[in-house]
Amino acid sequence: MERWLKEIIEAEKQKRRRPLELKIIGGNYYLYESTTVWLKGEGKRKKVSRYIGKVTRGGVVEGSRRRYIRSIYEYGNAKLLAEISEEIRGPLEEAFPYDYREILAMAIVKVLQPTALRLIKSRWEKLYLSREIEASLSVNSISKRLRFIGARWDAQEKFFKYLLKEGRHLIFDLSSIISYSKNLRLAEKGYNSEHQYLPQVNFALVFWAEGHIPVM
């Protein structure tokens, strides 16, 4: 048993003062209260377990597990994308060591189907890949991570430099997004390609010509 896991279990035992049982399901850890009851009619004891929560490195997340176990998953489509992304997983983890799983999961979901942030978690859980990659994809978690990732220019530059390591010719595509949000300070009024004077965010996409991939 890993040290961090052992420390959490010991702390839970001290807090709850009851026998606990750790179960591993789909590569994830789940904690249960475990006890026995006497079955008078059968003349024997029966083990009874009560679900407590999922065990993560941050502690026990109580009541987060579904009351049913999914047995049907989508497999091939997400697995193919995971294998394609294998080459960049190492550099992505190096640049974003605490967020790379969520970045990969969100990217795979978005490639498979345009999905609103609030639906990414449920869409991800339909993929068998969700049993192999543990990603925290609740709406609040995603919002916080996206704000953090967007502010980490140093980490972004580190990752993009890896993508550009073999680039010789770059292609630039200029575009804009119209936004009426009062909270988006990046949006400024100006003319777009259709000569409309609107609040917008201008941006540039950089592609590696030979590799046909976006790099910045």
Side-chain angles (χ1 to χ4, degrees):
M1 182 183 294
E2 295 184 61
R3 183 176 177 180
W4 67 268
L5 187 58
K6 187 175 181 180
E7 290 176 352
I8 290 175
I9 300 303
E10 289 300 322
E12 289 296 321
K13 286 181 179 179
Q14 291 295 324
K15 182 175 72 173
R16 299 178 186 278
R17 300 291 182 181
R18 293 187 178 183
L20 301 179
E21 180 182 7
L22 184 69
K23 295 184 181 181
I24 303 176
I25 304 173
N28 297 316
Y29 300 103
Y30 299 94
L31 192 64
Y32 292 78
E33 282 187 4
S34 181
T35 186
T36 57
V37 296
W38 177 256
L39 300 178
K40 185 179 293 186
E42 299 180 18
K44 63 179 182 180
R45 292 184 177 276
K46 179 183 178 182
K47 181 179 176 181
V48 177
S49 297
R50 185 183 72 82
Y51 176 65
I52 296 174
K54 184 177 181 180
V55 183
T56 69
R57 288 183 179 272
V60 178
V61 182
E62 297 194 20
S64 61
R65 189 185 169 202
R66 295 173 179 266
R67 296 189 179 276
Y68 64 91
I69 298 176
R70 179 182 293 276
S71 59
I72 300 176
Y73 294 87
E74 294 179 33
Y75 183 80
N77 50 6
K79 190 66 173 178
L80 174 62
L81 292 175
E83 291 179 358
I84 291 173
S85 67
E86 193 64 36
E87 182 182 351
I88 65 169
R89 187 173 300 190
L92 187 63
E93 181 179 0
E94 189 175 340
F96 297 97
Y98 303 108
D99 306 284
Y100 75 97
R101 294 184 184 88
E102 284 74 19
I103 294 173
L104 280 173
M106 286 188 286
I108 288 172
V109 168
K110 285 286 191 178
V111 169
L112 292 176
Q113 179 182 342
T115 306
L117 289 184
R118 63 184 176 82
L119 299 176
I120 285 180
K121 184 176 185 291
S122 60
R123 185 68 181 88
W124 172 249
E125 290 175 346
K126 294 178 182 178
L127 306 177
Y128 187 84
L129 198 63
S130 65
R131 300 183 60 179
E132 300 176 352
I133 301 176
E134 183 177 348
S136 178
L137 298 175
S138 66
V139 174
N140 290 338
S141 176
I142 290 177
S143 298
K144 290 178 182 178
R145 287 181 189 279
L146 289 178
R147 283 195 294 270
F148 173 77
I149 292 167
R152 288 293 309 279
W153 288 103
D154 56 332
Q156 291 180 43
E157 184 180 12
K158 186 176 184 179
F159 177 68
F160 288 133
K161 277 185 176 178
Y162 169 81
L163 295 181
L164 274 167
K165 68 183 188 300
E166 297 179 2
R168 293 295 180 270
H169 299 90
L170 301 178
I171 300 173
F172 293 83
D173 179 25
L174 304 179
S175 189
S176 63
I177 296 178
I178 298 170
S179 174
Y180 294 96
S181 172
K182 295 180 180 179
N183 298 320
L184 187 61
R185 297 179 182 178
L186 290 174
E188 296 182 0
K189 282 192 174 182
Y191 290 98
N192 60 17
S193 59
E194 298 178 357
H195 304 289
Q196 297 172 317
Y197 190 70
L198 297 168
Q200 58 191 304
V201 178
N202 297 316
F203 61 94
L205 299 175
V206 185
F207 294 83
W208 171 25
E210 293 84 357
H212 301 97
I213 60 172
V215 292
M216 180 67 77

